[in-house]
Amino acid sequence: MADTSPRTGSPASQDTDLIIIGGGPAGCAAARMAASVGMRSVLVEPDTLCRNLYRIGALNNALGGHASGPALADAITAELKSTELCRLELGRRVVELRADHDRVTVTLDTGAHLAASYAVVATGVGPLQPRDVSWITASSGLTLPPLWKADADDAEGRTFLVLGGDRPIGTFLRAHPDTDTRLLVAYPETDAYKVEEIRDDPRVTLLPVAHLTLHLPEESVSTADVVSQDGERRTVTADATYVSIGNAPTAPSGDLVRGADGYCPSVDQHSRVIVAGDLRSARFQRIMTALGSGSEAALHAYYAARDLSLPS
């Protein structure tokens, strides 16, 4: 007979009580809350824990006295790594999620499978690439790093071509106020309002474009042919190219319900799949809401596994 003890609330044949997909603030909060109520979890994250927090130089909407994203990320990581009921699977990616009437099964990029009573999906958003927008022509297989991945050593004395005018450019400039760099920011008309905060930075050259054709780098030099919004044509060169086009939801394939915008609203999902963090909606992409939604997701699984009514 399967073991359905009150502590686990799930058959012994399952690998854990809760599978958490994504190791950002929401996923980490889910794992911590699950452990606090005695639930075992496996957290799967292809990168480092809270990786996106490390690009935020200053915080103004997080409790705990942490003045920067890296400080908060270090605190969350240290606490989670000391959580005995959470097993970390770092460097692994969930490629498929399937939900059945009594369990959730995920497939890792290694081909391994994990099963649990419930899953929390907190994979968040990732950077858009040139292939995702119509105003850029580039090789179909080209993937460029987001600007926030460049550090001061990368930028010092160099010129970067930045595709898109999304607001992380301002975050990058504030994080490296004394770095001698030059940013050539090529952006479409729809991004005009976003670049206002960087317009007066002497390190920035704004390039409003109607279309841009990006050539593959040769000898560490990036080249692009630009058609301006006035129809003028020019060629620009830079030491490297980064993207700041915007973000799109990232989630494994399988039994996740996506809206027309790619996000996965919580109310539309299978009863054993709980969505937390930025993946729910573009409207609530804040650190504090991610932490809260992750904690709530774990409690949802805890109560549901015991057939208890959720608290109102």
Side-chain angles (χ1 to χ4, degrees), residues 27 33 62 78 99 107 109 115 126 136 138 143 163-164 173 176 256 272 278:
M33 179 59 75
T107 304
D109 52 3
I136 299 176
T143 298
L163 305 181
L173 292 168
H176 307 297
L256 269 174
R272 293 189 176 272
D278 293 356

Side-chain angles (χ1 to χ4, degrees), residues 47 51 55 145-151 154 172 242:
D47 206 317
R51 65 189 185 279
R55 67 181 174 88
L147 180 62
W148 60 263
K149 283 198 171 182
D151 58 26
D154 294 328
F172 172 84
Y242 291 86

Side-chain angles (χ1 to χ4, degrees), residues 5 18 57 70 73 75 93 111 155 183 191 214 226 239 263 284 298 300:
S5 65
L18 184 65
R93 184 183 302 276
L183 301 185
D191 281 3
L214 185 66
V226 173
D239 296 304
Y263 286 91
F284 299 106
H300 181 110

Side-chain angles (χ1 to χ4, degrees), residues 217-241:
E218 295 182 8
E219 298 180 355
S220 301
V221 175
S222 295
T223 304
D225 295 327
V226 173
V227 179
S228 74
Q229 293 173 10
D230 296 328
E232 180 182 349
R233 297 176 180 271
R234 61 180 293 191
T235 298
V236 298
T237 60
D239 296 304
T241 302

Side-chain angles (χ1 to χ4, degrees), residues 121-151:
V121 186
T123 47
V125 297
L128 289 170
Q129 291 293 326
R131 59 182 172 272
D132 298 316
V133 295
S134 60
W135 61 275
I136 299 176
T137 297
S139 170
S140 60
L142 180 65
T143 298
L144 296 171
L147 180 62
W148 60 263
K149 283 198 171 182
D151 58 26

